[in-house]
Amino acid sequence: MRDAFAAELHEIAASDPSVLLLVGDIGFQVFDSFVEDYPGRFINMGVAEANMIGAAAGLSLGGKKPIVYTIVPFLTMRAFEQIRNDICIQKQPVKIVGVGGGLAYGNMGPTHHSIVDMGILRTLPNMTVISPCDPVESRKAFRATYEHDGPVYLRLGRNGEPTLHTEDFMFEIGRALQMRPGTDATIISTGAVTKIALDAAESLSADGISVRVLNIHTLKPIDAEAIVTAAHETRALVTIEEHNIIGGLGSAVSEVIAENATPLPFKRIGIPDTFTYGVGSQNHHLASHGITVEAVKTTLSNMLETGKVPVSNS
Amino acid sequence: MTTDTFLGQLRCPSCVLHGQGLLERVAGDWILCQEPDCGRKYPIRDGLPILFKDEGEKWVNVKPEDLPLTALANKPVVPDAEWLARKAQESRITILQMVIRAGSGHIGGAYSAVDLVTALYFRVMKHDPSDPSWEGRDRLIYSKGHTCLALYSALAHAGYFRPSRLKEFLVDDGLLAGHPEMGHIPGVEVTTGSLGHGLPLANGIAMALKMDGGQQRVITIMGDGECNEGSNWEAFMCSAQFGLDRITAIIDNNKLESLAPTSEIMAIEPMADKLRSFGWGVREIDGHNMAEIIDALESTPFEPGKPSAIVAHTIKGKGVSFMEGVTKWHQRGLTPDEAETAFAELAQGIRS
């Protein structure tokens, strides 16, 4: 996703000289061609995120289009108040691009994991929150981010995520993408774990269960219509995300259902409100926190069988 | 309050908007409007002039905080230190009226900054109140947003909005909140209130201007207490690193924070040395000496290629004896007795 973003950024910067890339001393070699082709437009702001976000808002006030890039936790939490005051309150269209969403920094430990970013950022008025699922979607998402007239947080994985989209598609902020049709149950996903959703759906289809996969790439504004439709057309619903189950996709979807849809068996799959202690790769942490194909399958088939929510999904 | 100097500041409320409304004291306890078509006579009772104003069908007494003040002395093309000092003193009276009316306000830090703000808006900065978004304007990033009373008064008197709107300070649905809001108040460049945001914003604005080859200045006013905030120190390094020599950071060093002296909370001295070691050109001045203020602000950059810092030594609450250097006047309303004393002292200050 990171390289896909860098490629799209390079293309956009060619036609818009006001686009600037600000980094917090992160991105070794990732932006080499940008540095070479657009002298003076790559600005390393150092390991000083509060100043970086404030200065990005200042650059925007000065008519520039700053893209701010560093690792998610430092970008979104260290400088959260700068994001709120300098960017969102002042309605500055700064684009905040975080690398290493979720557990992408695997064995770097919990300081580098981002499991609360979507939760806190979607509470900010004027903010748009986007979490693409694969490299293709990341490119389109960044294009849409650039074109959007307002602050956007774009949550990227790191690198090497597989391509999940099998055909071309229209990316529109706030419009969910159905990745797979289905009539019995729905898995709503965001980000790279959409792969787990698709694998679970494929596996369940072998058991004769038809599962829809809805990719909510935009957490905010969320596509309430697609969620309500899925809630009415299928009999059970799970959300899956690389994020705390508090505040992120699961919370956002349950808010929509509680206010707009007929109740149905519903379960959030994600980090169960714990920090990701210890050593482990991304996949190891996902598995040890119950974010697996097996967990999704078991949860869904159990809900379909009993019409109730299982006590625990892990 | 009934000194001739103070009465000299007042104008007939019925005439001040369309004429001079000069008043003259007659027979001891009366003041008389000198406008030929008016001639209204107002009594002085219990030490206060009773200035009635016409509100439709009835006449109502003007409250002390609403007493109409001198229409501003015409602004010279390049106002000198004396004119600016008087202007700042008028601003202190305006600020006092706002705080009395609202019952609250960060008056201490407004009084320490008001001489600096006055010099900026009435002499130093290039700006156009009739076109707040004029591209060529110098930018004032008012980082110590809680002391916005000084900013509001300057903006109104400079012509960004009508001075009568200063009455909307802290009023529901009014113009002026307790911290300045960009987009809501004409002339306010950025929304501040949370400390430590101004200089990072100034850095970005200065970087953008520099890329476009602009010569506009970016000036920020920050407090000494505000320098507790770590973001400022990131920003001090950044301004120097990027050679942002159109930036001037004024530290309103009034030595007091909300609860105690800065030296007892998070000492910043030697501030000038700190800033020099961070790559800034630095000058220390008496922040209430208008000649020194003008000289410093008009001598930047102090060192070529470097951002400039002015460490302005000021007194919190400057201008009112019982407020000067007294912690509790960080934010406070005034009792009627305090208000009267403050008025008298400030009016006296205009004369002296």
PDB file of all heavy atoms in Angstrom, chain B residues 195-216:
ATOM      1  N   LEU B 195      -2.310  26.584  23.949  1.00  0.00           N
ATOM      2  CA  LEU B 195      -0.981  27.182  23.833  1.00  0.00           C
ATOM      3  C   LEU B 195      -0.020  26.269  23.077  1.00  0.00           C
ATOM      4  O   LEU B 195      -0.161  25.052  23.066  1.00  0.00           O
ATOM      5  CB  LEU B 195      -0.437  27.497  25.228  1.00  0.00           C
ATOM      6  CG  LEU B 195      -1.292  28.510  25.997  1.00  0.00           C
ATOM      7  CD1 LEU B 195      -0.786  28.651  27.426  1.00  0.00           C
ATOM      8  CD2 LEU B 195      -1.297  29.851  25.294  1.00  0.00           C
ATOM      9  N   GLY B 196       0.950  26.895  22.425  1.00  0.00           N
ATOM     10  CA  GLY B 196       1.970  26.120  21.716  1.00  0.00           C
ATOM     11  C   GLY B 196       1.608  25.796  20.281  1.00  0.00           C
ATOM     12  O   GLY B 196       2.259  24.973  19.654  1.00  0.00           O
ATOM     13  N   HIS B 197       0.568  26.436  19.748  1.00  0.00           N
ATOM     14  CA  HIS B 197       0.169  26.183  18.363  1.00  0.00           C
ATOM     15  C   HIS B 197       0.633  27.269  17.399  1.00  0.00           C
ATOM     16  O   HIS B 197       0.729  27.038  16.200  1.00  0.00           O
ATOM     17  CB  HIS B 197      -1.356  26.040  18.255  1.00  0.00           C
ATOM     18  CG  HIS B 197      -1.873  24.749  18.788  1.00  0.00           C
ATOM     19  ND1 HIS B 197      -2.401  23.760  17.979  1.00  0.00           N
ATOM     20  CD2 HIS B 197      -1.933  24.268  20.043  1.00  0.00           C
ATOM     21  CE1 HIS B 197      -2.768  22.729  18.730  1.00  0.00           C
ATOM     22  NE2 HIS B 197      -2.492  23.011  19.984  1.00  0.00           N
ATOM     23  N   GLY B 198       0.862  28.474  17.908  1.00  0.00           N
ATOM     24  CA  GLY B 198       1.100  29.610  17.020  1.00  0.00           C
ATOM     25  C   GLY B 198       2.363  29.500  16.187  1.00  0.00           C
ATOM     26  O   GLY B 198       2.333  29.710  14.969  1.00  0.00           O
ATOM     27  N   LEU B 199       3.473  29.188  16.840  1.00  0.00           N
ATOM     28  CA  LEU B 199       4.736  29.178  16.091  1.00  0.00           C
ATOM     29  C   LEU B 199       4.790  28.070  15.035  1.00  0.00           C
ATOM     30  O   LEU B 199       5.266  28.322  13.920  1.00  0.00           O
ATOM     31  CB  LEU B 199       5.932  29.105  17.049  1.00  0.00           C
ATOM     32  CG  LEU B 199       7.291  29.358  16.390  1.00  0.00           C
ATOM     33  CD1 LEU B 199       7.349  30.708  15.686  1.00  0.00           C
ATOM     34  CD2 LEU B 199       8.421  29.265  17.425  1.00  0.00           C
ATOM     35  N   PRO B 200       4.304  26.854  15.316  1.00  0.00           N
ATOM     36  CA  PRO B 200       4.243  25.859  14.228  1.00  0.00           C
ATOM     37  C   PRO B 200       3.423  26.359  13.035  1.00  0.00           C
ATOM     38  O   PRO B 200       3.827  26.189  11.881  1.00  0.00           O
ATOM     39  CB  PRO B 200       3.590  24.644  14.888  1.00  0.00           C
ATOM     40  CG  PRO B 200       3.969  24.749  16.330  1.00  0.00           C
ATOM     41  CD  PRO B 200       3.966  26.229  16.618  1.00  0.00           C
ATOM     42  N   LEU B 201       2.277  26.980  13.321  1.00  0.00           N
ATOM     43  CA  LEU B 201       1.466  27.533  12.230  1.00  0.00           C
ATOM     44  C   LEU B 201       2.246  28.615  11.487  1.00  0.00           C
ATOM     45  O   LEU B 201       2.255  28.661  10.252  1.00  0.00           O
ATOM     46  CB  LEU B 201       0.162  28.115  12.776  1.00  0.00           C
ATOM     47  CG  LEU B 201      -0.906  27.109  13.193  1.00  0.00           C
ATOM     48  CD1 LEU B 201      -1.909  27.756  14.132  1.00  0.00           C
ATOM     49  CD2 LEU B 201      -1.619  26.545  11.964  1.00  0.00           C
ATOM     50  N   ALA B 202       2.917  29.466  12.255  1.00  0.00           N
ATOM     51  CA  ALA B 202       3.711  30.537  11.642  1.00  0.00           C
ATOM     52  C   ALA B 202       4.798  29.943  10.750  1.00  0.00           C
ATOM     53  O   ALA B 202       5.061  30.459   9.650  1.00  0.00           O
ATOM     54  CB  ALA B 202       4.332  31.418  12.728  1.00  0.00           C
ATOM     55  N   ASN B 203       5.408  28.865  11.204  1.00  0.00           N
ATOM     56  CA  ASN B 203       6.430  28.208  10.383  1.00  0.00           C
ATOM     57  C   ASN B 203       5.868  27.804   9.025  1.00  0.00           C
ATOM     58  O   ASN B 203       6.478  28.042   7.986  1.00  0.00           O
ATOM     59  CB  ASN B 203       6.965  26.962  11.101  1.00  0.00           C
ATOM     60  CG  ASN B 203       7.983  27.309  12.177  1.00  0.00           C
ATOM     61  OD1 ASN B 203       8.612  28.363  12.128  1.00  0.00           O
ATOM     62  ND2 ASN B 203       8.143  26.425  13.150  1.00  0.00           N
ATOM     63  N   GLY B 204       4.712  27.157   9.044  1.00  0.00           N
ATOM     64  CA  GLY B 204       4.117  26.703   7.780  1.00  0.00           C
ATOM     65  C   GLY B 204       3.766  27.871   6.873  1.00  0.00           C
ATOM     66  O   GLY B 204       4.024  27.841   5.662  1.00  0.00           O
ATOM     67  N   ILE B 205       3.169  28.913   7.471  1.00  0.00           N
ATOM     68  CA  ILE B 205       2.786  30.082   6.669  1.00  0.00           C
ATOM     69  C   ILE B 205       4.038  30.729   6.073  1.00  0.00           C
ATOM     70  O   ILE B 205       4.078  31.079   4.887  1.00  0.00           O
ATOM     71  CB  ILE B 205       2.000  31.089   7.542  1.00  0.00           C
ATOM     72  CG1 ILE B 205       0.647  30.482   7.940  1.00  0.00           C
ATOM     73  CG2 ILE B 205       1.802  32.413   6.811  1.00  0.00           C
ATOM     74  CD1 ILE B 205      -0.099  31.266   9.001  1.00  0.00           C
ATOM     75  N   ALA B 206       5.086  30.840   6.882  1.00  0.00           N
ATOM     76  CA  ALA B 206       6.328  31.465   6.399  1.00  0.00           C
ATOM     77  C   ALA B 206       6.991  30.601   5.319  1.00  0.00           C
ATOM     78  O   ALA B 206       7.557  31.132   4.354  1.00  0.00           O
ATOM     79  CB  ALA B 206       7.282  31.696   7.564  1.00  0.00           C
ATOM     80  N   MET B 207       6.910  29.292   5.477  1.00  0.00           N
ATOM     81  CA  MET B 207       7.480  28.413   4.452  1.00  0.00           C
ATOM     82  C   MET B 207       6.743  28.598   3.125  1.00  0.00           C
ATOM     83  O   MET B 207       7.361  28.669   2.056  1.00  0.00           O
ATOM     84  CB  MET B 207       7.388  26.940   4.896  1.00  0.00           C
ATOM     85  CG  MET B 207       8.372  26.565   5.999  1.00  0.00           C
ATOM     86  SD  MET B 207       7.959  24.981   6.802  1.00  0.00           S
ATOM     87  CE  MET B 207       8.795  23.859   5.714  1.00  0.00           C
ATOM     88  N   ALA B 208       5.414  28.664   3.197  1.00  0.00           N
ATOM     89  CA  ALA B 208       4.628  28.839   1.973  1.00  0.00           C
ATOM     90  C   ALA B 208       4.960  30.169   1.305  1.00  0.00           C
ATOM     91  O   ALA B 208       5.153  30.245   0.086  1.00  0.00           O
ATOM     92  CB  ALA B 208       3.131  28.751   2.291  1.00  0.00           C
ATOM     93  N   LEU B 209       5.037  31.233   2.103  1.00  0.00           N
ATOM     94  CA  LEU B 209       5.349  32.554   1.540  1.00  0.00           C
ATOM     95  C   LEU B 209       6.740  32.551   0.912  1.00  0.00           C
ATOM     96  O   LEU B 209       6.961  33.120  -0.161  1.00  0.00           O
ATOM     97  CB  LEU B 209       5.264  33.628   2.632  1.00  0.00           C
ATOM     98  CG  LEU B 209       3.858  33.923   3.173  1.00  0.00           C
ATOM     99  CD1 LEU B 209       3.931  34.822   4.402  1.00  0.00           C
ATOM    100  CD2 LEU B 209       2.987  34.580   2.099  1.00  0.00           C
ATOM    101  N   LYS B 210       7.674  31.882   1.588  1.00  0.00           N
ATOM    102  CA  LYS B 210       9.041  31.844   1.091  1.00  0.00           C
ATOM    103  C   LYS B 210       9.116  31.122  -0.255  1.00  0.00           C
ATOM    104  O   LYS B 210       9.801  31.575  -1.177  1.00  0.00           O
ATOM    105  CB  LYS B 210       9.935  31.144   2.123  1.00  0.00           C
ATOM    106  CG  LYS B 210      11.420  31.236   1.824  1.00  0.00           C
ATOM    107  CD  LYS B 210      12.240  30.622   2.956  1.00  0.00           C
ATOM    108  CE  LYS B 210      13.725  30.721   2.637  1.00  0.00           C
ATOM    109  NZ  LYS B 210      14.563  30.168   3.704  1.00  0.00           N
ATOM    110  N   MET B 211       8.377  30.009  -0.358  1.00  0.00           N
ATOM    111  CA  MET B 211       8.363  29.267  -1.625  1.00  0.00           C
ATOM    112  C   MET B 211       7.864  30.129  -2.772  1.00  0.00           C
ATOM    113  O   MET B 211       8.288  29.974  -3.907  1.00  0.00           O
ATOM    114  CB  MET B 211       7.436  28.040  -1.512  1.00  0.00           C
ATOM    115  CG  MET B 211       8.029  26.909  -0.709  1.00  0.00           C
ATOM    116  SD  MET B 211       6.803  25.589  -0.541  1.00  0.00           S
ATOM    117  CE  MET B 211       7.485  24.721   0.866  1.00  0.00           C
ATOM    118  N   ASP B 212       6.924  31.027  -2.448  1.00  0.00           N
ATOM    119  CA  ASP B 212       6.352  31.879  -3.487  1.00  0.00           C
ATOM    120  C   ASP B 212       7.116  33.190  -3.644  1.00  0.00           C
ATOM    121  O   ASP B 212       6.674  34.089  -4.368  1.00  0.00           O
ATOM    122  CB  ASP B 212       4.881  32.183  -3.169  1.00  0.00           C
ATOM    123  CG  ASP B 212       4.027  30.916  -3.202  1.00  0.00           C
ATOM    124  OD1 ASP B 212       4.465  29.941  -3.846  1.00  0.00           O
ATOM    125  OD2 ASP B 212       2.949  30.899  -2.586  1.00  0.00           O
ATOM    126  N   GLY B 213       8.228  33.315  -2.924  1.00  0.00           N
ATOM    127  CA  GLY B 213       9.045  34.518  -3.052  1.00  0.00           C
ATOM    128  C   GLY B 213       8.468  35.741  -2.380  1.00  0.00           C
ATOM    129  O   GLY B 213       8.855  36.869  -2.701  1.00  0.00           O
ATOM    130  N   GLY B 214       7.521  35.545  -1.451  1.00  0.00           N
ATOM    131  CA  GLY B 214       6.875  36.680  -0.786  1.00  0.00           C
ATOM    132  C   GLY B 214       7.778  37.329   0.244  1.00  0.00           C
ATOM    133  O   GLY B 214       8.665  36.695   0.797  1.00  0.00           O
ATOM    134  N   GLN B 215       7.525  38.610   0.483  1.00  0.00           N
ATOM    135  CA  GLN B 215       8.310  39.344   1.482  1.00  0.00           C
ATOM    136  C   GLN B 215       7.473  39.666   2.718  1.00  0.00           C
ATOM    137  O   GLN B 215       7.910  40.413   3.598  1.00  0.00           O
ATOM    138  CB  GLN B 215       8.849  40.642   0.867  1.00  0.00           C
ATOM    139  CG  GLN B 215       9.971  40.400  -0.125  1.00  0.00           C
ATOM    140  CD  GLN B 215      11.157  39.682   0.518  1.00  0.00           C
ATOM    141  OE1 GLN B 215      11.725  40.135   1.495  1.00  0.00           O
ATOM    142  NE2 GLN B 215      11.511  38.510  -0.025  1.00  0.00           N
ATOM    143  N   GLN B 216       6.261  39.091   2.788  1.00  0.00           N
ATOM    144  CA  GLN B 216       5.413  39.399   3.940  1.00  0.00           C
ATOM    145  C   GLN B 216       6.047  38.864   5.221  1.00  0.00           C
ATOM    146  O   GLN B 216       6.712  37.837   5.224  1.00  0.00           O
ATOM    147  CB  GLN B 216       4.027  38.741   3.768  1.00  0.00           C
ATOM    148  CG  GLN B 216       3.285  39.165   2.527  1.00  0.00           C
ATOM    149  CD  GLN B 216       3.520  38.241   1.347  1.00  0.00           C
ATOM    150  OE1 GLN B 216       4.626  37.773   1.121  1.00  0.00           O
ATOM    151  NE2 GLN B 216       2.485  37.985   0.588  1.00  0.00           N
TER     152      GLN B 216
END
